Amino acid sequence: MAVTQAPSPAPTAGPAATRRRGRPARHKSDGAAGYIFLSPWLLGFAAITAVPMLMSLYLSFTNYDVLSDWSSTEWVGLDNYRQMFTEDPSFWHAVRVTITFALIATPLKLAAALGVALLLNKAFRGDGVFRGLFYLPSLLGGSVAVAIVWKSMFNGDGSFNAFLAWFGIEGKAWVNDPDYALGTLILLAVWQFGAPMVIFLAGLKQVPQELYEAASVDGAGPVRQFLAVTLPILSPVIFFNLVLETINGFQGFTSAFVLSGGTGGPVDSTLMYTLHLYNKGFTEYQMGYASAMAWVFLLSIGLITVVIFRTGKFWVHYSDSED
Amino acid sequence: MKRSVVLVVLTAIVLYPLVWMLGSSFKSPQEVLNNMSVFPREFTPGNYTDGWSHFDVAFGRFFLNSAMVAILTVVANCVSCLLAAYAFARLRFRLRGFWFAIMIGTLLLPGHVLIVPQFVMFKAFGLVGGDWPYAPLIVPQLLATEAFFVFLMVQFMRGVPRELDDAAKIDGCTAFGVFRHVILPLSRPALVSTAIFSFIWTWNDFFRQLVYLSDLEKYTAPVALTLFIDSSGQSAVGPMFAMSVLSLAPVFLFFVAFQRMLVEGINTTGLKG
């Protein structure tokens, strides 16, 4: 049997297919089997992702309301988008709230995660216990129960004010104050710093100890070592966490829903984008409008991700791409 | 020495809300708020029985609904994601790279974007609000739409030596035989990770359950918990905390049992909590 270098143009059954690596013929390409195993995913991708996305693109140009018949649904062109940008002040509120939330919560959360990871980085007795306990809020944090606790803690008569009273500070009803309600949501997000912390810890293990030794021989103190050694080597991990947590941040829903009783109040101060989308689609039944909002959301998140990736070129240091 | 003090203080801060919730679930209506102490002055276990029967439907019903959704999701995710992962990791077929790239792309797709059209679609099929309104929560999982788990299992299978496949093939196994006799038994660790994370995420999920469940009888625990907020009133606060504690209990037990595994799952794949 001839062993040829050129791959056969189409894998065929029979002796010709046994040429490469001398494997039995029928195993060279798993063609049919591949698609059989992939079929649930393919069907899912088509039916649960692709078709609904196209459908929502179409719906975003209609006044579909889910309640009445398809026949009463009209093509309204760009009307939903125009209305969103020019006539719905709540939309802009939601955009502002979401961006504020993501811009403040994400860096604070990552800073907390990195700070605690640095504290836990050196092995010591019981480090695993601390790591686990700091991770616990990430596991529970998205739940309704935790949001309920948060709402109770930051109420006018909540325990946070009792704490402030120790210092003679008079608190207020934080969750009912438009100036502070979003702050409590940010605190809740930062509280869940455990997941990025664990990823930072894994990254810190990769930093070669020789670099620290070399740096200290050169007379670098701890701060300088952190800036010149730890941060650059950790930058791909920081980047990974930044992308993940930013996307997460934009999607915050449960805590905003629970803290505001679904309204996004007080005075729209906690009206996260997804909460506004939910209210438009599932409380006011403006499915067309909600679809348009979903598309704007998708494009914005895509754009933000691209921007983060672009800026990443300037500060993310991949050790294998340089010297 | 200094570091351990900082760590202990941080742990106290981080755990305080959870411990306070547990303590408050035993407090009497008079002291439940405005008492930052985690210890109830007056031990009130009645909050648990009051909370359990606070609504027309007993809370146990909500827990059963949650458990059913979570368990079905676990099974569906394990089966469907394993099949897809085997195809991506081990089989050769046309357009594999293309489909794999698409699968990775869906990882970044926010679920909130799809909820409106999915709702419209499931409603068109008559699957919303019927006798068994959980179909929209389960069907997507049956079709391997949770790309995180497909990715996790692909990564895992890449670590299984190819020689095992080849040996099985030489012994006459087809692609199905290799899956059945080599990959399936060896994938147990990846399946366990998937099962645990599936359970926890589904148990905690609120958005999709809020959208699809409209009948009190069919509510899951998180959706039912929000009823306490509407019904508010001082007397409901204790029961509300009691039911909140119970609703976190399964996740907490998973955490205690699998703490090490959960943490490692996070740092090898970057899963979110």
Side-chain angles (χ1 to χ4, degrees):
Chain A
M1 139 172 79
V3 177
T4 56
Q5 288 297 324
S8 49
T12 48
T18 63
R19 277 175 292 188
R20 247 190 295 174
R21 287 189 239 168
R23 289 208 189 134
R26 62 182 185 281
H27 301 312
K28 193 171 162 246
S29 163
D30 312 284
Y35 274 95
I36 290 170
F37 276 98
L38 203 61
S39 54
W41 178 83
L42 275 172
L43 186 63
F45 171 70
I48 308 290
T49 308
V51 169
M53 272 183 79
L54 294 176
M55 196 156 91
S56 99
L57 186 61
Y58 170 76
L59 288 178
S60 76
F61 299 111
T62 69
N63 64 356
Y64 182 61
D65 65 1
V66 98
L67 299 175
S68 33
D69 261 1
W70 276 108
S71 53
S72 58
T73 300
E74 282 170 32
W75 179 268
V76 296
L78 288 170
D79 214 46
N80 286 326
Y81 293 92
R82 188 187 52 76
Q83 207 185 325
M84 190 190 312
F85 290 128
T86 60
E87 283 167 20
D88 180 5
S90 293
F91 169 80
W92 288 112
H93 249 296
V95 169
R96 223 170 296 138
V97 167
T98 309
I99 291 178
T100 311
F101 176 81
L103 273 184
I104 300 177
T106 309
L108 284 179
K109 185 176 183 176
L110 292 185
L114 181 56
V116 176
L118 288 169
L119 279 175
L120 290 180
N121 188 29
K122 283 198 193 107
F124 58 94
R125 266 170 67 93
D127 58 346
V129 175
F130 283 113
R131 196 182 56 167
L133 291 177
F134 289 135
Y135 174 61
L136 181 61
S138 289
L139 216 52
L140 303 174
S143 60
V144 170
V146 166
I148 285 177
V149 172
W150 223 256
K151 189 181 162 86
S152 315
M153 276 173 54
F154 291 96
N155 249 331
D157 45 8
S159 66
F160 183 65
N161 282 345
F163 171 74
L164 290 181
W166 274 5
F167 303 95
I169 303 169
E170 195 179 341
K172 50 175 75 202
W174 306 96
V175 287
N176 298 322
D177 187 320
D179 293 334
Y180 294 98
L182 188 62
T184 61
L185 285 183
I186 290 172
L187 266 183
L188 175 51
V190 175
W191 181 63
Q192 304 170 52
F193 64 82
M197 176 202 77
V198 169
I199 298 171
F200 277 137
L201 269 172
L204 284 170
K205 293 226 165 62
Q206 310 294 319
V207 184
Q209 287 305 308
E210 305 89 75
L211 289 181
Y212 290 117
E213 286 155 22
S216 64
V217 169
D218 289 345
V223 174
R224 179 112 186 103
Q225 285 186 22
F226 175 71
L227 294 175
V229 178
T230 312
L231 273 188
I233 293 192
L234 209 57
S235 59
V237 183
I238 298 175
F239 179 75
F240 177 82
N241 271 335
L242 180 68
V243 173
L244 218 65
E245 294 300 334
T246 306
I247 294 178
N248 267 351
F250 277 102
Q251 296 186 61
F253 176 82
T254 304
S255 54
F257 183 96
V258 172
L259 259 76
S260 68
T263 63
V267 215
D268 285 354
S269 60
T270 60
L271 189 68
M272 293 289 283
Y273 195 95
T274 50
L275 186 51
H276 191 43
L277 191 157
Y278 169 82
N279 282 332
K280 280 291 175 189
F282 298 97
T283 324
E284 298 173 25
Y285 299 109
Q286 300 184 34
M287 289 284 177
Y289 189 88
S291 299
M293 277 192 73
W295 272 88
V296 170
F297 189 55
L298 181 64
L299 295 178
S300 310
I301 288 202
L303 187 72
I304 287 160
T305 312
V306 169
V307 168
I308 298 178
F309 268 86
R310 282 279 157 82
T311 61
K313 287 195 180 117
F314 299 107
W315 61 271
V316 179
H317 168 101
Y318 291 102
S319 50
D320 52 352
S321 68
E322 284 171 50
D323 48 42
Chain B
M1 211 57 235
K2 223 171 70 188
R3 180 179 58 185
S4 57
V5 174
V6 175
L7 281 174
V8 168
V9 171
L10 272 176
T11 312
I13 295 172
V14 164
L15 292 187
Y16 172 75
L18 299 174
V19 181
W20 181 74
M21 168 175 61
L22 183 65
S24 296
S25 72
F26 291 106
K27 288 175 186 170
S28 66
Q30 293 77 34
E31 63 158 323
V32 73
L33 292 170
N34 209 6
N35 177 3
M36 63 179 292
S37 164
V38 298
F39 301 106
R41 275 192 295 268
E42 193 186 322
F43 187 71
T44 319
N47 285 333
Y48 283 83
T49 47
D50 288 354
W52 194 262
S53 52
H54 192 82
F55 303 107
D56 293 342
V57 176
F59 226 89
R61 176 86 238 160
F62 306 135
F63 281 120
L64 274 180
N65 293 340
S66 267
M68 181 192 62
V69 171
I71 289 167
L72 287 176
T73 300
V74 166
V75 174
N77 268 339
C78 282
V79 173
S80 67
C81 296
L82 188 69
L83 296 178
Y86 175 59
F88 281 131
R90 285 304 222 237
L91 301 178
R92 273 167 294 171
F93 51 91
R94 281 169 66 84
L95 296 178
R96 182 181 66 171
F98 170 75
W99 292 122
F100 189 70
I102 300 251
M103 193 275 290
I104 295 296
T106 63
L107 271 177
L108 294 172
L109 200 64
H112 300 90
V113 175
L114 290 169
I115 195 84
V116 170
Q118 281 177 0
F119 180 85
V120 172
M121 189 184 73
F122 282 117
K123 191 159 166 64
F125 288 145
L127 293 173
V128 173
D131 285 343
W132 205 75
Y134 306 109
L137 302 174
I138 311 292
V139 172
Q141 319 300 325
L142 271 172
L143 299 176
T145 49
E146 199 75 73
F148 255 128
F149 297 130
V150 179
F151 179 64
L152 181 142
M153 292 200 226
V154 167
Q155 293 297 88
F156 179 83
M157 284 180 204
R158 281 178 177 161
V160 175
R162 281 224 174 240
E163 285 75 14
L164 294 175
D165 296 27
D166 293 340
K169 284 180 180 178
I170 287 165
D171 287 348
C173 276
T174 59
F176 302 94
V178 173
F179 174 74
R180 169 70 188 81
H181 298 291
V182 179
I183 297 294
L184 182 62
L186 288 176
S187 294
R188 196 175 298 158
L191 283 172
V192 172
S193 293
T194 299
I196 293 169
F197 276 106
S198 273
F199 185 91
I200 292 176
W201 291 353
T202 311
W203 188 268
N204 279 342
D205 176 42
F206 173 59
F207 188 60
R208 276 152 44 88
Q209 295 170 9
L210 176 72
V211 165
Y212 287 113
L213 306 178
S214 50
D215 179 7
L216 182 67
E217 280 274 322
K218 312 288 193 227
Y219 274 9
T220 51
V223 184
L225 275 180
T226 61
L227 294 175
F228 278 112
I229 300 170
D230 304 332
S231 77
S232 58
Q234 198 72 308
S235 65
V237 180
M240 172 175 86
F241 277 119
M243 292 304 107
S244 297
V245 168
L246 287 187
S247 85
L248 291 181
V251 180
F252 187 75
L253 292 178
F254 268 98
F255 169 79
V256 172
F258 300 106
Q259 191 255 113
R260 214 188 164 76
M261 225 194 81
L262 292 171
V263 168
E264 272 156 22
I266 286 288
N267 80 34
T268 48
T269 56
L271 293 174
K272 57 188 190 295

